[in-house]
Amino acid sequence: MNDMITTRDDILSHLVSLRNRYREISGLQAERLDAIAIGHVPDEIAVDVERVVMVEEASVIEEFARVVEGFPAYLGEPARTVSAPQAKQSWFPLRRQADVLVEEEDPSAAEARLQDSRLLHIVNSLSEDLSERRASLQHASYTVKRVVVGLNQSAAYAISEDGTRKIVRERHRLETLVSLVERTISEIVVASRRIGMLAESPDAAAEKRAPDQLRLAG
């Protein structure tokens, strides 16, 4: 196995790590957002944590796309010439062996094709994760907005100024969180298109990266 195959393997492993990290980030945040209710409104620190998480999420997606776009093209030959013994008819009632040159597939070429397939699988996997994440955040936005409506009703029936101020602060935090969620939804829409384009034509992307490099057939 040549150095190019090893390098590509390392990059694929890194992409898997990024995808798994994305799943961890989005999964844990989804659980926290689903837990929001009138009696369980996050404090300022919690809202700031969610903001940091969303920034990290965007960073992971950007890193993933950058690595995929920079995935190195396979530089080897799809076939190689080797000598092979072949029986040759002689004038005598015996067959003698003679070496002839034949072409056989380079083992690295076959491995490179598997790597290309694996790359496509990883990209499609993240694309599906992004679709699920978008739906999850849309649900969270709707849920939090309903909590805001409930807080408005509570404020209308509050019997003390302290109680009203507390509700107003909680409502403000939730409105900030909704703004963060909806901004992230918009960013995921853009990211989904970018990742989707990489999944649709990985060969075309590779040709743009290295137009004068030999591409593996098939």
Side-chain angles (χ1 to χ4, degrees), residues 150-168:
L151 289 175
N152 287 335
Q153 295 174 344
S154 297
Y157 294 103
I159 59 176
S160 68
E161 292 185 3
D162 289 342
T164 300
R165 283 194 294 268
K166 177 178 179 296
I167 294 172
V168 169

Side-chain angles (χ1 to χ4, degrees), residues 177-191:
L177 186 57
V178 168
S179 178
L180 291 172
V181 168
E182 294 188 342
R183 185 182 67 186
T184 300
I185 292 173
S186 298
E187 291 173 350
I188 287 176
V189 170
V190 175

Side-chain angles (χ1 to χ4, degrees), residues 26-163:
S26 58
L28 292 175
Q29 188 175 63
E31 292 176 2
R32 293 192 299 270
L33 295 179
D34 287 343
I36 294 176
I38 291 181
H40 190 263
V41 176
D43 57 21
E44 289 287 351
I45 295 176
V47 173
D48 287 340
V49 167
E50 303 304 346
R51 180 184 287 107
V52 171
V53 167
M54 292 174 188
V55 170
E56 183 181 1
E57 174 182 6
S59 177
V60 170
I61 295 173
E62 175 61 30
E63 173 70 3
F64 184 95
R66 184 189 66 79
V67 173
V68 172
E69 289 169 345
F71 190 72
Y74 174 67
L75 301 178
E77 297 286 347
R80 63 182 181 180
T81 302
V82 298
S83 62
Q86 186 177 47
K88 186 175 182 180
Q89 182 69 50
S90 69
W91 290 103
F92 301 98
L94 297 173
R95 290 183 179 273
R96 58 189 177 87
Q97 296 291 322
D99 287 341
V100 296
L101 297 179
V102 297
E103 280 195 346
E104 70 174 15
E105 184 177 41
D106 187 336
S108 293
E111 180 64 25
R113 279 202 302 274
L114 291 175
Q115 289 176 328
D116 289 340
S117 296
R118 186 182 176 201
L119 174 65
L120 183 60
H121 172 75
I122 296 170
V123 173
N124 282 328
S125 179
L126 184 69
S127 182
E128 292 173 0
D129 290 342
L130 288 171
S131 296
E132 292 176 3
R133 172 67 165 164
R134 178 183 178 186
S136 175
L137 288 178
Q138 288 173 331
H139 173 73
S141 176
Y142 172 76
T143 300
V144 174
K145 286 177 180 177
R146 289 191 61 183
V147 175
V148 171
V149 171
L151 289 175
N152 287 335
Q153 295 174 344
S154 297
Y157 294 103
I159 59 176
S160 68
E161 292 185 3
D162 289 342

